[in-house]
Amino acid sequence: MRSLGRPPAALWLHNPERSLAGLSVDHAADRLVQAAEILASAVERGWCRSWGIATWNPEQVWSVVAAIRGDWPRPGLVMTRSGLLAPAKVLIAAENLAARCEARLWGMSPFGGDTQDAVWGEVDPRQFLAPRQESTRWQAALRLALAVPDAVERVAVGASTPAHLAELLPTPGLTVNSELVASYRQLLERRSAAETSLAARSAGARNGSLSGNASSGARL
């Protein structure tokens, strides 16, 4: 705060899932509440104007938040991955986490971490915009990160040059094809459900094989 000459607009509890991993749900919930109390105190002291949770894996944080009983100092902001490359489980958990916390939702990593990823040579995000709009691929990708998941207010981006950031400035003025985006979300969710079902069947088959071997051994 002294370096900036003003209180930060937002102070983030960054990737709390790392500190909560391996704990029982109750212990994890208690630890998260303790962190929330410290950050809420920072707001009250004027050290920052607000605080939020920034998480790469919101489904892990969501399961802990859902276990918290009673009132607690909820974050005013939730920031997590957004955009076309965010997995369905991340998108759903982000929306649930923000709703549970009654927090505003922000996005990050709109390009999936790397604009040089081969996927961007195969998928043109401009097809998800309303017709007759001029934009670059990256403008379109960033605009979609404001629409996927729902109700994203802002998106954090990084850039190697000021020119890259300047290119992105017109992005919020673009219009998304809402029906096409909704269909894309449904496709992601169906694919995620199919993958989960396949993983469950595979695990069941392995467990069945082990049980069968154990039973055979017992009969011998």
Side-chain angles (χ1 to χ4, degrees), residues 9-218:
L11 183 62
W12 298 100
L13 181 63
H14 190 65
N15 284 345
E17 63 270 23
R18 295 183 179 180
S19 299
L20 303 176
L23 302 179
S24 68
V25 173
D26 289 341
H27 188 186
D30 289 343
R31 175 174 267 188
L32 185 58
V33 168
Q34 290 172 10
E37 290 171 346
I38 292 170
L39 290 164
S41 176
V43 175
E44 292 174 1
R45 292 171 182 235
W47 295 349
C48 58
R49 296 207 303 269
S50 64
W51 77 276
I53 291 176
T55 170
W56 194 255
N57 294 307
E59 61 268 39
Q60 297 178 21
V61 181
W62 155 245
S63 65
V64 175
V65 167
I68 296 175
R69 300 291 178 261
D71 194 23
W72 62 291
R74 304 175 190 225
L77 301 166
V78 168
M79 182 164 65
T80 188
R81 286 179 282 173
S82 65
L84 293 180
L85 299 189
K89 290 182 178 180
V90 167
L91 300 175
I92 293 170
E95 292 166 347
N96 289 337
L97 180 58
R100 181 81 175 194
C101 293
E102 299 177 356
R104 295 154 55 196
L105 186 58
W106 287 14
M108 62 179 174
S109 192
F111 310 122
D114 187 359
T115 57
Q116 302 305 310
D117 193 301
V119 68
W120 294 117
E122 301 173 6
V123 176
D124 189 341
R126 289 173 291 191
Q127 66 183 302
F128 291 93
L129 299 179
R132 295 180 293 279
Q133 296 182 94
E134 294 292 332
S135 74
T136 67
R137 285 174 179 264
W138 312 124
Q139 288 171 341
L142 180 56
R143 178 61 183 88
L144 289 160
L146 287 163
V148 180
D150 290 335
V152 173
E153 292 186 7
R154 299 184 181 184
V155 178
V157 296
S160 57
T161 69
H164 291 162
L165 288 177
E167 176 188 343
L168 299 176
L169 287 178
T171 293
L174 297 172
T175 303
V176 169
N177 185 328
S178 300
E179 292 184 2
L180 193 56
V181 169
S183 297
Y184 179 75
R185 286 279 314 258
Q186 293 172 2
L187 178 63
L188 282 182
E189 290 168 15
R190 288 197 298 270
R191 179 178 178 180
S192 177
E195 290 173 349
T196 300
S197 177
L198 178 60
R201 289 199 300 270
S202 297
R206 288 195 299 271
N207 292 336
S209 176
L210 290 173
S211 299
N213 289 340
S215 298
S216 296

